[in-house]
Amino acid sequence: MAPRTSAFVVQMTPSTPLSVDFPPKSPWATMFKQPVRTYSCWQVHSRRILTAAVVLIVIAVLSLHLDHNQVELSRFGQAIGNPHIYSQSQSCRPDFGLLRELNLTPTIQYGRARMVVEFTKEKLNFTESLDQQSPIFRPLDLVEDDESPEQQLRTQAQCAAPTKVSVPISKPHTDASHIIFGVSTTVERLESSVSQMQHWLAHTQARLIALVEPSAASGTLETHMRTLGIDVTIQHSNETFNDRYFALIRALHAARRPTTHWAGLVDDDTFFLSPSALVARLATHDHTAEQYVGGLTEDFRQVGYFGYMAYGGAGIFLSAPLLTHLNSVYPECRRRYRHLPHGDGRLAQCIYRHTTAKLTPEPGLHQVDLHGDPSGFYEAGRAQPLSIHHWRHWYLVDVVRLSAVAAVCGDAGLLRRWRFADGWYLTNGYSVVRYGAWDVDDAAMELTWDRPGGEVSEEGYEHSLTPLRARDQGKVSYRLEGVVRAGEVVRQFYVYRPGEGREDGVLEVSWEGG
C-alpha cells in the first residue's frame, strides 16, 4: 500500500529532527495547546526526556479511568492459559507479544484498519466499494522495547479511524434439527476436525453419526464433542474407509427420526461457512420427494473420469424418502458396487441404477478440486460458498481462523469482499491484496491454481468458475495468519512475506459491532 500523509504522523530516526504532527481535534493537540514544532538535532535529547515524562504522566492519568476487564481470547486460534487484559489505552497500540509470535523480520511495515459492522436487511453485493483509502503503513521495530517512550509515541500513529461496513443480518441461532450428518473417518482425524465442526454443527440441533475404526479413545472424544454442543454419536466399524462411507446409508437410516428431512454425507474436511444459509438453501428443495442434491467437481474433466455425480467433499444431501429407498436396496448395492474405489461413486451408482432420482446440482456446494494456490477462488468476491473442501490436504486454509470473525460480523460476513478507494481488496477472513494490473475485471476469477498433468486454462471450468483471468504476477498479498478475539472485538493479522531480505508487512484489522 502506497504511503500517504496521515492526520497524525510520528517519525523518529537518529539522523533526522523529531517531528510530531497532531490533528486539530486530537486530544493530544488540545492538551498541549500549542502549534506543532520541529526541533533541531541539538534539542532532541532534552526534548525526548520531556516528551517521555509527559507521555508517562498522560498514560498514568488515563489509566485511572480505564476499566481493566479480563477477557478470554484465543491466541492465533489456540487456547491461552492466562488471558490477557485489554483496555482502551491499549486499543491503539500494536500487541508486540502477538506480533513477535508470527516470526516476522526484526522490523516490519505495520498498518491498522478498524472495521465497524452495521447490520442491514437490505440486499448487498458480495463485493462492495468503500470511500476510504487503505491503511497507512509505517516501520515498526519488534526488537526495540515496546514500553520505550519513543515506541509509545510512534504507536499512537496507529490509531485508525473507523470504517463502517454493511453486512447482512445473520441468524444468531440455526435450527437444523431436521438434518442428520454422517462421516466416515478415524478417531484421530475426527478429533482434529472438532474445532472446525464447532462452527457449523454446535448448538444447531443437527446430529452427526461418525463411523470410525475401533478405538478406546472414541468415548472420551464423543463426550468432549457433546460438551461443545455437537450432538455426535461415534460408532465403531471394522470395515475399510470406503465400505464405512457406503455403510452410512444404514447408519443414517437407523438414526433418522420422523422429523428428519435430510441426510448429509460429508468428509471430515467438509466445512460449511453458514449453517443458516445451508438450511435455507435445502429448504428450496422438496424433501418429501426422492432428492439427490450435491455439488459437482469444479473441473469438468474429472467428471469424464469419475462420473456425473455429487462429489462427497462438497457434501451430499439425500431426502428422507430417498434414504429409505437406498436402505431397502443396500445389500444389493453393497455387493454390486463394492469394487468401485470411492464411496461417493458407489452411492451414485446405487441411486442411478436402483431409483429414478437424478442429481440436482447445488452450485454453492464446492468440492474445491484445485491444486496449489486456490487464492483466486477465495478472493473472487462472488456469492459465499455453502461449503468448501480440501483446505487441509490439497492446499492450506485455516478455516477456524477464517471463521473467527463471525463472532462480530456473523456468518454472512465471511469471505465478503470490500474494495478500498485506492484499489486494495479485503476478503474477510482470507487476505488483503493489491493487484498489479490496472484494469482488473472484478467479474473474472484469477486463475491461480494448478492442474496436475497439464496446463490449466478456462477449459473444464465453464460450468463452475468462469469467467477466469490470468494469474496476476504483480499481486501483493497479505494472508491471514493470526486471529485474537477479545470480548466483542476480533483482531485479524494479515501478513505479507516478500523474502529476499525485505521487511515483512502486517495489516491488523479489528472488527467491532456498530
Side-chain angles (χ1 to χ4, degrees):
M1 300 181 189
R4 294 185 302 278
T5 302
S6 171
F8 178 14
V9 179
V10 179
Q11 296 176 325
M12 301 182 70
T13 63
S15 58
T16 59
L18 171 63
S19 177
V20 183
D21 298 341
F22 299 106
K25 295 184 180 180
S26 166
W28 294 89
T30 305
M31 184 177 298
F32 286 102
K33 295 184 183 298
Q34 62 181 18
V36 175
R37 298 182 63 187
T38 299
Y39 303 107
S40 60
C41 291
W42 65 270
Q43 294 174 300
V44 168
H45 296 294
S46 60
R47 295 290 181 179
R48 282 180 174 174
I49 294 173
L50 175 61
T51 301
V54 172
V55 169
L56 293 175
I57 291 172
V58 170
I59 292 175
V61 172
L62 289 175
S63 66
L64 295 177
H65 302 283
L66 297 173
D67 179 18
H68 293 270
N69 292 321
Q70 205 170 38
V71 297
E72 181 180 357
L73 57 87
S74 171
R75 182 182 294 262
F76 300 155
Q78 298 178 349
I80 299 178
N82 298 313
H84 281 201
I85 297 175
Y86 284 84
S87 65
Q88 185 177 352
S89 63
Q90 295 171 309
S91 62
C92 290
R93 297 186 55 226
D95 189 316
F96 286 85
L98 293 178
L99 290 172
R100 287 165 183 153
E101 286 188 18
L102 288 170
N103 193 27
L104 303 163
T105 53
T107 301
I108 63 173
Q109 294 294 318
Y110 176 80
R112 297 186 68 130
R114 180 186 171 200
M115 313 299 283
V116 178
V117 176
E118 296 182 337
F119 292 104
T120 179
K121 294 182 179 179
E122 296 180 5
K123 186 176 181 180
L124 300 173
N125 294 322
F126 204 70
T127 296
E128 295 281 348
S129 296
L130 301 173
D131 295 331
Q132 290 90 339
Q133 302 280 310
S134 60
I136 300 167
F137 280 64
R138 298 181 181 81
L140 196 64
D141 189 347
L142 299 183
V143 178
E144 183 181 356
D145 180 8
D146 50 285
E147 298 301 327
S148 68
E150 290 87 351
Q151 195 74 287
Q152 290 186 31
L153 270 179
R154 184 181 296 120
T155 58
Q156 289 297 328
Q158 304 300 339
C159 291
T163 298
K164 294 183 179 180
V165 294
S166 296
V167 175
I169 297 174
S170 299
K171 291 184 178 180
H173 303 289
T174 300
D175 182 3
S177 57
H178 58 297
I179 305 174
I180 182 170
F181 291 95
V183 62
S184 169
T185 184
T186 65
V187 167
E188 293 75 20
R189 287 175 62 97
L190 182 61
E191 184 176 18
S192 69
S193 302
V194 171
S195 55
Q196 65 95 353
M197 287 183 171
Q198 265 190 277
H199 172 78
W200 58 271
L201 261 182
H203 308 294
T204 64
Q205 302 182 64
R207 292 177 295 143
L208 173 68
I209 305 296
L211 296 187
V212 304
E213 298 171 348
S215 170
S218 61
T220 301
L221 178 59
E222 181 178 284
T223 300
H224 172 62
M225 294 178 70
R226 286 180 175 273
T227 61
L228 298 175
I230 300 175
D231 187 353
V232 62
T233 300
I234 300 178
Q235 300 177 4
H236 290 171
S237 171
N238 288 310
E239 295 185 299
T240 65
F241 178 88
N242 284 322
D243 285 345
R244 289 201 306 274
Y245 184 93
F246 193 69
L248 285 171
I249 292 175
R250 274 283 168 89
L252 292 171
H253 185 264
R256 79 195 190 287
R257 295 169 178 168
T259 55
T260 299
H261 294 173
W262 297 99
L265 283 73
V266 298
D267 288 355
D268 53 31
D269 61 342
T270 302
F271 183 75
F272 297 99
L273 281 81
S274 171
S276 61
L278 175 65
V279 168
R281 193 68 61 86
L282 287 176
T284 65
H285 301 279
D286 182 7
H287 67 87
T288 65
E290 293 190 357
Q291 293 279 352
Y292 172 40
V293 179
L296 287 166
T297 172
E298 289 77 14
D299 188 348
F300 205 79
R301 293 184 182 185
Q302 294 198 51
V303 175
Y305 183 78
F306 294 107
Y308 185 84
M309 64 181 188
Y311 284 69
I316 301 173
F317 292 90
L318 312 174
S319 64
L322 180 58
L323 180 65
T324 298
H325 193 158
L326 292 176
N327 184 69
S328 68
V329 296
Y330 174 82
E332 183 178 357
C333 286
R334 174 183 166 82
R335 176 181 56 82
R336 290 185 61 182
Y337 311 118
R338 194 172 186 179
H339 66 283
L340 297 177
H342 301 287
D344 49 7
R346 296 183 190 182
L347 178 64
Q349 289 302 308
C350 187
I351 293 172
Y352 290 153
R353 296 180 183 273
H354 297 272
T355 80
T356 57
K358 297 295 181 284
L359 174 65
T360 301
E362 179 52 68
L365 298 172
H366 282 277
Q367 176 79 359
V368 196
D369 279 340
L370 308 176
H371 290 266
D373 176 12
S375 60
F377 171 81
Y378 285 96
E379 294 167 348
R382 298 181 183 178
Q384 184 187 71
L386 288 176
S387 66
I388 55 177
H389 179 235
H390 283 149
W391 47 268
R392 65 179 178 186
H393 299 295
W394 287 27
Y395 56 88
L396 294 179
V397 172
D398 190 328
V399 295
V400 176
R401 198 178 285 164
L402 183 157
S403 59
V405 72
V408 174
C409 64
D411 296 338
L414 300 180
L415 294 182
R416 188 166 288 274
R417 190 172 71 161
W418 286 275
R419 185 185 189 276
F420 289 94
D422 52 358
W424 284 83
Y425 290 83
L426 165 62
T427 301
N428 192 14
Y430 187 79
S431 69
V432 179
V433 303
R434 183 192 65 196
Y435 295 103
W438 288 99
D439 56 344
V440 174
D441 180 1
D442 271 355
M445 180 183 293
E446 184 187 8
L447 203 165
T448 58
W449 55 90
D450 304 317
R451 174 182 277 154
E455 182 179 353
V456 63
S457 66
E458 285 196 352
E459 183 180 352
Y461 300 104
E462 294 90 346
H463 74 292
S464 58
L465 302 181
T466 56
L468 302 176
R469 67 175 189 270
R471 180 192 295 268
D472 191 315
Q473 300 297 336
K475 181 171 73 172
V476 176
S477 179
Y478 287 68
R479 294 286 181 86
L480 183 66
E481 292 194 18
V483 173
V484 171
R485 179 179 176 183
E488 300 301 318
V489 176
V490 171
R491 298 161 60 197
Q492 300 170 321
F493 295 81
Y494 295 88
V495 180
Y496 171 56
R497 300 181 186 271
E500 300 179 353
R502 298 163 61 191
E503 295 175 340
D504 293 337
V506 176
L507 175 62
E508 179 180 340
V509 181
S510 67
W511 292 85
E512 59 190 82

